[in-house]
Amino acid sequence: MQEKTLGELAEYVGGRVNGNPDIKISSASTLGRAGTGDISFLANRKYEKQLLSTKASAVIAGKDIPAASVPLLIAEDPYYAFMQIMVLLHGHRKHKKTGISPHASIADSAKIGADCHIGDFVTISDGARIKDGCIIYPGTFIAQDVQIGNDSIIYSNVTIYDGCKIGNRVIINSNTTIGEDGFSYATHKGIHHKIPQKGIVVLEDDVEIGVCCGIERGTLSDTIIGMGSKIGDLVAIGHGTKIGQHCLLVAQVGVAGSTNIGNYCVIGGQAGIVGHINIGNNVTIGAQAGVINDVADNKVVIGAPAIEAETARRAYSMIQYLPDMRQNIRQLQKKIERISLSLESDSNQDTEL
């Protein structure tokens, strides 16, 4: 852990200081939990009142806030600046340099690059290619002809099936499976017959996959996770799906096969997406949404079935009133029936006269 002055931090992130630049900062925390020596951040205006009570030594903000009781570091993007400062002060996880364990099983035809560190009971199969600087934690299985790029990190008990391609600086967290057979069957007379899966999984550079994920290989084409995309825990990606660059899929998302997802999309937790649809660029899908149709570029959709957010908010806000509305409609129907009967009776009397 390092200690820096607020002025040094501002220079590091390209910001400026409103207050004492000589304050010492050694750690980072939230507004509510921060104490002396901590720097915090304000990225959401609803937390602005906490600037009056926070015990932080400084706060990163996007603008000058006169009511603040602490010095401010003004940055264009406070949350990004906070990330930069977190990395500077705390750094990322350090991986122990173990070399290649004598308990690892590495095929003679496999090729291992320079400065790789391979843990106990790792299995690396025939024809696998692992480039420089990779770290593979104990218990991982890497199948035949898998390719792994430079500086990738594979945590314990990951399984990578045959032929899959992993890019540079990819992180795959524990207990995830890459390249399993797709859930693809032909049902004939009630019997489900397995279809061979000839595609592979491609994880492009700087992809991160969470724990306990399943990413299926394609039936006829490859399953592709685009550069810089991040996949949360317990996510299932169906066979032949293509996810664009710099997408975020939060925990427990399920994407069915042959779906195309564009670039810079954000998909909330527990959302479900049917197969064979197209989702455009810069799309946001709310948590627990059920997406059953194509979604155009730049749309925000929520709900099940998912519809545009503004329409959905109006519709879902009415749900609590539906029982009363139903009762009122029934009462109106009864009144209309009584009026109709009364008018019909008056009409009959006029006819008799």
Side-chain angles (χ1 to χ4, degrees):
M1 185 183 299
Q2 299 190 52
E3 184 177 80
K4 299 287 185 180
T5 67
L6 186 59
E8 288 172 331
L9 294 179
E11 183 178 358
Y12 182 73
V13 300
R16 60 182 176 84
V17 175
N18 182 347
N20 181 3
D22 297 322
I23 289 176
K24 300 290 186 181
I25 303 295
S26 59
S27 188
S29 187
T30 63
L31 285 168
R33 295 181 178 179
T36 302
D38 288 338
I39 190 168
S40 190
F41 67 96
L42 178 69
N44 189 324
R45 289 188 61 185
K46 73 178 184 179
Y47 298 111
E48 196 168 306
K49 291 182 179 178
Q50 293 188 29
L51 289 177
L52 300 175
S53 58
T54 185
K55 303 300 182 184
S57 291
V59 173
I60 308 165
K63 63 179 182 178
D64 289 313
I65 302 173
S69 61
V70 296
L72 299 177
L73 191 166
I74 310 300
E76 180 180 355
D77 185 337
Y79 198 50
Y80 179 64
F82 177 75
M83 180 281 298
Q84 292 176 290
I85 289 171
M86 279 286 291
V87 173
L88 179 65
L89 295 178
H90 298 280
H92 290 290
R93 177 180 289 111
K94 304 297 183 185
H95 302 278
K96 189 175 181 181
K97 306 296 186 179
T98 60
I100 298 177
S101 169
H103 301 295
S105 176
I106 302 175
D108 291 340
S109 60
K111 291 187 177 179
I112 310 298
D115 195 30
C116 287
H117 301 274
I118 299 173
D120 293 343
F121 310 113
V122 169
T123 297
I124 301 176
S125 303
D126 290 327
R129 302 287 186 271
I130 299 173
K131 291 189 176 180
D132 299 345
C134 291
I135 297 171
I136 302 175
Y137 275 78
T140 289
F141 175 76
I142 297 172
Q144 184 175 350
D145 297 325
V146 166
Q147 299 178 32
I148 300 178
N150 296 316
D151 301 312
S152 290
I153 301 169
I154 315 296
Y155 283 97
S156 293
N157 302 319
V158 167
T159 296
I160 306 176
Y161 280 55
D162 49 292
C164 292
K165 296 179 180 179
I166 312 300
N168 301 311
R169 300 174 301 279
V170 169
I171 299 172
I172 305 175
N173 284 283
S174 295
N175 302 310
T176 279
T177 299
I178 307 296
E180 65 198 81
D181 282 354
F183 195 77
S184 185
Y185 302 89
T187 302
H188 178 68
K189 296 181 179 181
I191 307 296
H192 309 299
H193 300 272
K194 186 176 180 66
I195 299 173
Q197 309 289 287
K198 73 172 191 175
I200 61 170
V201 171
V202 178
L203 305 183
E204 296 183 352
D205 293 349
D206 300 302
V207 165
E208 182 167 356
I209 309 294
V211 301
C212 299
C213 294
I215 302 181
E216 298 176 352
R217 68 202 305 118
T219 305
L220 299 173
S221 60
D222 298 340
T223 300
I224 300 173
I225 311 296
M227 180 176 65
S229 288
K230 316 298 182 185
I231 309 296
D233 299 339
L234 297 163
V235 170
I237 306 295
H239 53 94
T241 286
K242 292 178 173 56
I243 296 175
Q245 298 180 4
H246 304 291
C247 293
L248 291 174
L249 277 67
V250 184
Q252 299 182 17
V253 165
V255 182
S258 300
T259 294
N260 294 314
I261 298 175
N263 301 320
Y264 304 101
C265 293
V266 177
I267 303 176
Q270 297 186 337
I273 301 173
V274 302
H276 301 275
I277 64 171
N278 296 305
I279 294 172
N281 299 314
N282 300 297
V283 168
T284 298
I285 298 172
Q288 296 189 326
V291 184
I292 61 174
N293 295 305
D294 291 351
V295 181
D297 292 351
N298 305 310
K299 296 294 185 181
V300 179
V301 297
I302 61 176
I307 56 178
E308 289 193 42
E310 287 303 317
T311 301
R313 290 188 185 100
R314 293 197 300 271
Y316 295 136
S317 69
M318 297 299 296
I319 289 175
Q320 60 184 321
Y321 303 112
L322 289 179
D324 291 338
M325 292 172 65
R326 183 170 180 265
Q327 184 63 32
N328 291 338
I329 289 170
R330 283 182 169 181
Q331 291 173 356
L332 286 170
Q333 286 175 328
K334 289 179 180 179
K335 287 182 180 180
I336 291 170
E337 288 173 1
R338 289 197 297 266
I339 292 170
S340 294
L341 289 172
S342 176
L343 291 172
E344 185 178 344
S345 176
D346 291 344
S347 176
N348 289 336
Q349 290 178 4
D350 289 344
T351 301
E352 290 175 359
L353 292 174

